[in-house]
Amino acid sequence: MAQQSVKRLLRGFSMALLIGGIPLEVLATPIVTWSTTDSGTYSTTVNFESTGPLANATVVTNQFQADGLVFSGTVRANDCGYNGWVVYGMPGNTLDTYGPYCYVNATNDQFTMTFDTQVSQAAFDAYLFDDLSVDTFDLLYQGSSVASVVAMQSKYTDLGTNNTVIVAGRNFVNYPGYVRAGIVTIDGDGLVFDAVRFTEHNATQTNTYLVLDNVRYNAAAVPEPASLLLVAGGIAGLAAVRRRRSA
């Protein structure tokens, strides 16, 4: 029990120090999943419709800054047209790395989606084609990666392998090593981040791309300085007790 308490305190302290901008080895491991449902409650939702319909292959940067998101790198809107992905639950404007004018490109695209606040949880609707299962999501904090996951290897919680299901007219797909369509959920599990980076790793050898829409997220609670001191004191006290017991 004491060991579990130490781990919980260290996780909280790790999050607090990251929020305070103090470098520390990350002790928490984020939970990234795919699913057909999302029961989460989010403080902010961005559906990319605030601009009205965007032209095919529009490069996306700060068009959604007022909604709380800024993009950098190689990401475009509506490469396959407005409403091009509606059957996958992504109507209207969508963002993607597909290729201008719906031609799959052979470039290793990479883009970063930066939130206007520190985040503890996020989710978005997505369609991922990656037949080598190598493309990654990185969680960033102040420009540095704090966690990395292979997007196709994340668990699909409620749809069996090599299956497709239609729910309320929306297609969900789970063919690992080929294609997935559904809801991506990122739970920091004690870790905070302020950006998500998507990277393609083998587009020059095979087709690979991501389409996303309906980004939602929760801001992380920022601890008061006094809370940081209390957590640090608690960790120091527990460490001293463990040293005495092992002496």
Side-chain angles (χ1 to χ4, degrees):
M1 289 293 293
Q3 193 172 25
Q4 292 177 348
S5 297
V6 170
K7 185 177 180 180
R8 283 196 295 268
L9 276 173
L10 285 172
R11 178 175 294 176
F13 191 47
S14 171
M15 181 179 72
L17 289 181
L18 279 170
I19 292 175
I22 303 173
L24 184 70
E25 180 181 359
V26 176
L27 301 174
T29 301
I31 301 169
V32 180
T33 58
W34 292 74
S35 64
T36 65
T37 61
D38 183 7
S39 59
T41 301
Y42 303 96
S43 58
T44 303
T45 298
V46 184
N47 62 10
F48 303 130
E49 295 304 312
S50 61
T51 59
L54 292 171
N56 187 294
T58 297
V59 175
V60 178
T61 54
N62 61 359
Q63 291 94 325
F64 303 102
Q65 185 171 10
D67 299 325
L69 292 177
V70 172
F71 292 84
S72 59
T74 310
V75 62
R76 295 167 298 275
N78 303 333
D79 272 343
C80 291
Y82 187 76
N83 268 332
W85 297 88
V86 67
V87 297
Y88 296 101
M90 297 182 283
N93 290 321
T94 53
L95 275 54
D96 65 82
T97 62
Y98 194 100
Y101 308 104
C102 219
Y103 289 96
V104 177
N105 65 27
T107 302
N108 281 324
D109 293 315
Q110 180 185 84
F111 72 86
T112 300
M113 174 173 63
T114 302
F115 305 94
D116 64 354
T117 186
Q118 298 156 350
V119 172
S120 58
Q121 294 174 314
F124 50 88
D125 300 324
Y127 182 104
L128 174 66
F129 189 102
D130 175 19
D131 59 5
L132 293 181
S133 297
V134 291
D135 294 348
T136 53
F137 291 125
D138 286 279
L139 306 187
L140 308 180
Y141 185 78
Q142 295 185 353
S144 298
S145 177
V146 294
S148 181
V149 297
V150 177
M152 190 66 78
Q153 293 179 7
S154 302
K155 182 179 180 181
Y156 210 123
T157 62
D158 54 0
L159 183 59
T161 300
N162 300 330
N163 270 297
T164 300
V165 66
I166 300 175
V167 180
R170 174 178 178 176
N171 292 314
F172 294 90
V173 182
N174 181 23
Y175 282 81
Y178 177 47
V179 63
R180 273 186 170 174
I183 300 166
V184 177
T185 302
I186 302 171
D187 184 346
D189 192 34
L191 179 150
V192 298
F193 52 100
D194 57 18
V196 176
R197 181 175 63 209
F198 172 73
T199 305
E200 298 172 355
H201 293 280
N202 275 289
T204 56
Q205 300 179 32
T206 184
N207 295 334
T208 179
Y209 56 87
L210 175 73
V211 182
L212 76 152
D213 196 4
N214 302 317
V215 178
R216 48 262 195 206
Y217 60 92
N218 285 323
V222 179
E224 298 294 330
S227 300
L228 296 178
L229 293 175
L230 286 173
V231 173
I235 291 174
L238 284 170
V241 168
R242 293 188 67 190
R243 284 197 297 272
R244 284 197 298 269
R245 286 181 177 177
S246 60

